[in-house]
Amino acid sequence: MIKEKIISDLKSCMKFLKLEYNENFTVETPKNTDHGDLSTNIALVSSKLNRANPRIIAEKIAEKLVKKRDYKKVEVAGPGFVNFTLANSILHAALQTIVSTPNYGASDFGKKEKILIEFISANPTGPLNIVSARAAAYGDTLCRIMNYVGFHAIREFYINDAGNQVDILAESLELRFREILGENIGEFPLEAYHGEYVKELAHLLNSTEGSKLLHFPEKDRLERIKKFALKEIHSMQVNSLTKFDVNFDSWVSERALRSQGILEEALSYLAEKGYTYESEEAVWFASSQLGDEKDRVLIKSDGNPTYLVPDIAYHLTKFQRGHQTLIDVLGPDHHGYVPRLKAAINALGYDENALEVVFLQQVNLFEDGEQVKMSKRAGKIVTMDELIDDVGKDAARFFFINRKPSAHLNFDLELAKKKSSENPVFYCQYAYARISSIIEKAENENITITTEDINLKLLRKLNKPNELLLIKKMISLGAVLNLIAEKREPHHLAEYTHELATMFHKYYQKHKVVTKKSRDTTKARLYLISAVKKILAITFDLMGISAPEKM
RNA sequence: GCGCCAGUAGCUCAGUUGGAUAGAGCAUCGGCCUUCUAAGCCGAGGGUCUGGGGUUCGAAUCCCUACUGGCGUGCCA
């Protein structure tokens, strides 16, 4: 709001000075605090239009605007920047807004745009792994933030429960089952699933179905086993996600799509538009006409569809359900696959730009300075559950959110477990707990603040540089959240939270909140830190981590 | 070969889309507890933003190029 005010002040000022201005000028928070609270390049970008030296234009603007009561200082610097320092009163009024606004930082920025965020979408063939955990933290946090700033975003999990992998799972499970019943199964096949969970499932299968299962004909038997495994593993995955505070709004099963005939529907649309042809006994998608590097097979020569068909069909349903923007969160090994999917979206008559793909890079776990090897084959994957049990939900979520998605993530297990300042999660939560403890102390001394107490006159007590910095930081929350939503980069929130916590810790060190000197000062400061507490609670909630009153 | 992503302090990473003296955390070194939680704070050292060109008032950021690393390039999913 303050930024908008400066923009309008600048525009009317330029009009008053009879100067042209380039609409592309910006008003930004400078990195260097010596350059004021907000800074504009309007004189620089408008110098050509007026055939005048940017510095001279800047001087004129500053001279005019410095008279306004809202600005403590308006200065010209460098080649022609105009730097504004805000008056304390504006900041105090903003502080009141922070405390009185229920969801501070929320907005209608997203204009209710319908967004579908698809993430994890792991094969239902085993426990969720570390990469899934990263995707979970990323997708869930992004979704929370987007909804907070006015988007209509939902989380969706696509269950690949119809492919080859699921058949192998059923076969693996049957072997383990037979093993339990005392059969000699020989060497366990290399391509089968080796994880311990398969053995556990086999025991469960034995206790629910028992040996009568073997009397079924092979096809029925495997189908029964498959259904059982899918159900169990699904609930296993849901369980892990729930522990991680990730709740999907929607689950879509590939098997269900197939049985509803969506695949045929998608294929017939493609054929209708003339994008399919037959060759070498297979049906091809002419995706190279639509930007893909070559054509792709849709129906294999054996008559079965490739994985591309259900994927196209699935994305078709996303559009049919009315979503305007589709965000797919995928692993790095899928990037070759995006052009063909976009080609399909195009062929189906939708806008390919509606599909945005975020690639999450891999996660490397480190312990004792050494990388923890993960091998699927040996069944030694470190699972999401193990990670949560080991370092806790808060640390895991924070560490995952802390990095931008396109960067490889080195996850230091020891650091995440440390309960000290080295660990950024505890650092942030500690700030929150400290505030709680101060407020409690004040209450014990019968000092409480009520809305009637607080007015601009009282808030004048807040004039220390650290106090003003805290208010400015809190004001910027909305802009940070909008930026995150727009760029799909929740890692800025972890950064923001850490910075706010730092400012509070510094303030705490330098100034006593509950001070004997002045009751008014105490009240004003309590008001300030309760605002910080509120903002921290908001960011914690958006990141899905807890806000501890005591530590 | 072609395509995508990345290369910033000893390490892990930010850098608000082209702004002013490139920033954090960890690690290292030196200080601060009779005072609301020291799970904290203050200070110091540490940089050819991978190299080279270009675009302009201005480049870590945009373009070209070379190098290095990761991944992709199936009638696998």
Side-chain angles (χ1 to χ4, degrees):
Chain A
M1 313 144 265
I2 292 169
K3 191 168 156 183
E4 281 71 27
K5 196 190 161 337
I6 291 183
I7 291 173
S8 79
D9 277 358
L10 281 169
K11 285 183 179 174
S12 51
C13 177
M14 291 299 268
K15 250 178 220 156
F16 179 84
L17 295 169
K18 299 210 164 56
L19 289 167
E20 301 287 318
Y21 61 88
N22 184 333
E23 288 282 351
N24 292 328
F25 75 90
T26 58
V27 174
E28 278 171 356
T29 311
K31 286 177 209 161
N32 189 332
T33 49
D34 293 344
H35 297 139
D37 298 324
L38 286 157
S39 174
T40 181
N41 62 356
I42 190 165
L44 288 166
V45 296
S46 308
S47 69
K48 273 184 193 160
L49 283 174
N50 298 295
R51 297 210 189 105
N53 183 327
R55 249 202 101 100
I56 291 175
I57 299 178
E59 302 277 5
K60 285 184 183 169
I61 296 171
E63 201 181 321
K64 174 97 173 78
L65 290 181
V66 75
K67 290 177 189 144
K68 298 199 98 146
R69 208 180 297 157
D70 299 332
Y71 309 121
K72 199 186 281 175
K73 281 189 290 186
V74 184
E75 293 168 315
V76 178
F81 291 101
V82 183
N83 298 334
F84 296 85
T85 304
L86 299 172
N88 291 3
S89 57
I90 279 211
L91 297 173
H92 295 154
L95 178 63
Q96 287 184 302
T97 309
I98 292 170
V99 175
S100 61
T101 310
N103 288 317
Y104 187 76
S107 63
D108 55 1
F109 176 74
K111 302 195 177 76
K112 299 203 173 99
E113 186 181 342
K114 282 192 77 180
I115 305 219
L116 183 93
I117 308 178
E118 180 205 336
F119 55 102
I120 307 180
S121 297
N123 284 333
T125 52
L128 293 173
N129 60 23
I130 303 290
V131 184
S132 300
R134 182 178 189 182
Y138 171 83
D140 182 60
T141 304
L142 179 63
C143 191
R144 288 176 191 224
I145 295 169
M146 291 190 93
N147 284 329
Y148 197 73
V149 297
F151 287 87
H152 199 85
I154 66 161
R155 311 157 179 80
E156 186 161 283
F157 192 121
Y158 177 57
I159 312 170
N160 290 131
D161 52 4
N164 225 336
Q165 301 304 315
V166 189
D167 293 336
I168 295 173
L169 173 73
E171 285 157 23
S172 309
L173 181 53
E174 178 177 315
L175 277 177
R176 291 299 189 204
F177 177 62
R178 287 176 179 277
E179 197 175 36
I180 289 169
L181 294 178
E183 248 177 73
N184 181 7
I185 58 166
E187 181 122 2
F188 201 66
L190 206 61
E191 68 280 5
Y193 286 92
H194 284 241
E196 280 303 307
Y197 65 93
V198 183
K199 292 183 189 169
E200 286 162 25
L201 279 180
H203 281 286
L204 195 61
L205 181 63
N206 186 27
S207 59
T208 52
E209 297 264 2
S211 57
K212 71 170 199 293
L213 194 56
L214 297 179
H215 302 310
F216 287 94
E218 186 180 351
K219 210 180 154 209
D220 292 355
R221 188 175 68 234
L222 277 173
E223 194 56 33
R224 260 183 113 88
I225 294 177
K226 195 194 285 184
K227 270 197 179 146
F228 170 84
L230 287 175
K231 187 168 151 272
E232 287 304 322
I233 290 180
H234 175 70
S235 67
M236 214 159 98
Q237 294 184 342
V238 171
N239 204 11
S240 307
L241 290 167
T242 306
K243 273 206 277 183
F244 213 44
D245 274 348
V246 175
N247 297 301
F248 277 86
D249 303 295
S250 164
W251 297 82
V252 173
S253 148
E254 184 184 340
R255 280 164 77 93
L257 287 185
R258 283 177 190 252
S259 66
Q260 288 158 14
I262 314 270
L263 273 62
E264 289 76 9
E265 189 184 333
L267 281 171
S268 72
Y269 284 150
L270 290 178
E272 241 171 67
K273 308 265 181 177
Y275 285 112
T276 62
Y277 62 92
E278 278 187 47
S279 171
E280 301 166 58
E281 293 176 25
V283 177
W284 293 71
F285 172 34
S287 55
S288 61
Q289 293 176 27
L290 298 163
D292 197 7
E293 55 184 43
K294 58 182 172 188
D295 292 349
R296 309 289 170 177
V297 171
L298 291 170
I299 307 290
K300 296 186 271 188
S301 50
D302 68 3
N304 287 314
T306 61
Y307 70 96
L308 187 57
V309 181
D311 277 359
I312 292 172
Y314 170 46
H315 282 82
L316 174 63
T317 70
K318 292 185 182 182
F319 284 110
Q320 287 173 338
R321 283 180 278 152
H323 296 287
Q324 296 157 278
T325 298
L326 314 179
I327 300 178
D328 284 13
V329 181
L330 301 176
D333 48 337
H334 284 79
H335 64 69
Y337 142 101
V338 174
R340 68 194 78 162
L341 199 54
K342 289 207 171 216
I345 288 171
N346 218 327
L348 292 169
Y350 294 95
D351 178 10
E352 63 170 54
N353 293 320
L355 175 68
E356 291 175 30
V357 182
V358 177
F359 293 106
L360 282 183
Q361 292 295 325
Q362 66 189 79
V363 178
N364 299 315
L365 291 179
F366 283 84
E367 192 152 39
D368 302 322
E370 281 191 28
Q371 192 172 342
V372 180
K373 294 263 183 261
M374 286 175 271
S375 156
K376 208 166 201 169
R377 184 126 291 172
K380 271 191 201 159
I381 343 159
V382 179
T383 65
M384 181 166 164
D385 275 342
E386 286 164 351
L387 181 76
I388 301 171
D389 291 344
D390 198 24
V391 306
K393 178 203 72 168
D394 290 352
R397 284 191 69 128
F398 192 94
F399 273 59
F400 284 132
I401 298 164
N402 205 12
R403 298 267 175 274
K404 68 176 167 198
S406 58
H408 286 249
L409 179 72
N410 289 331
F411 196 112
D412 185 336
L413 289 169
E414 289 159 284
L415 180 60
K417 274 183 276 189
K418 265 189 194 157
K419 300 197 186 320
S420 75
S421 63
E422 298 150 54
N423 184 341
V425 193
F426 281 85
Y427 183 85
C428 295
Q429 290 179 323
Y430 184 43
Y432 186 88
R434 262 186 162 170
I435 295 174
S436 306
S437 136
I438 297 170
I439 292 173
E440 192 185 305
K441 180 191 157 76
E443 276 166 6
N444 291 340
E445 296 181 17
N446 278 322
I447 309 168
T448 50
I449 42 173
T450 59
T451 41
E452 296 87 70
D453 288 344
I454 305 302
N455 52 51
L456 286 174
K457 185 163 174 277
L458 181 90
L459 292 179
R460 274 187 222 155
K461 296 284 182 191
L462 300 174
N463 54 16
K464 299 279 186 284
N466 285 332
E467 292 168 335
L468 302 175
L469 276 174
L470 274 170
I471 299 173
K472 288 173 198 168
K473 190 71 189 172
M474 290 191 278
I475 293 171
S476 69
L477 175 67
V480 171
L481 294 177
N482 290 352
L483 179 81
I484 291 169
E486 194 178 0
K487 295 181 68 180
R488 332 302 194 204
E489 290 187 339
H491 71 275
H492 294 296
L493 189 57
E495 222 175 301
Y496 173 87
T497 306
H498 195 268
E499 283 165 5
L500 183 59
T502 302
M503 285 183 181
F504 170 74
H505 285 308
K506 286 185 180 180
Y507 176 59
Y508 170 90
Q509 208 70 31
K510 201 157 180 184
H511 302 289
K512 284 207 77 165
V513 173
V514 181
T515 167
K516 298 266 185 317
K517 286 181 215 148
S518 152
R519 201 168 174 91
D520 279 356
T521 303
T522 299
K523 284 194 170 180
R525 288 181 177 175
L526 277 173
Y527 191 67
L528 173 69
I529 65 164
S530 67
V532 175
K533 183 177 175 183
K534 175 178 174 172
I535 299 290
L536 285 175
I538 291 170
T539 64
F540 289 165
D541 186 51
L542 290 173
M543 291 189 288
I545 67 178
S546 56
E549 296 291 325
K550 276 197 163 36
M551 283 175 82

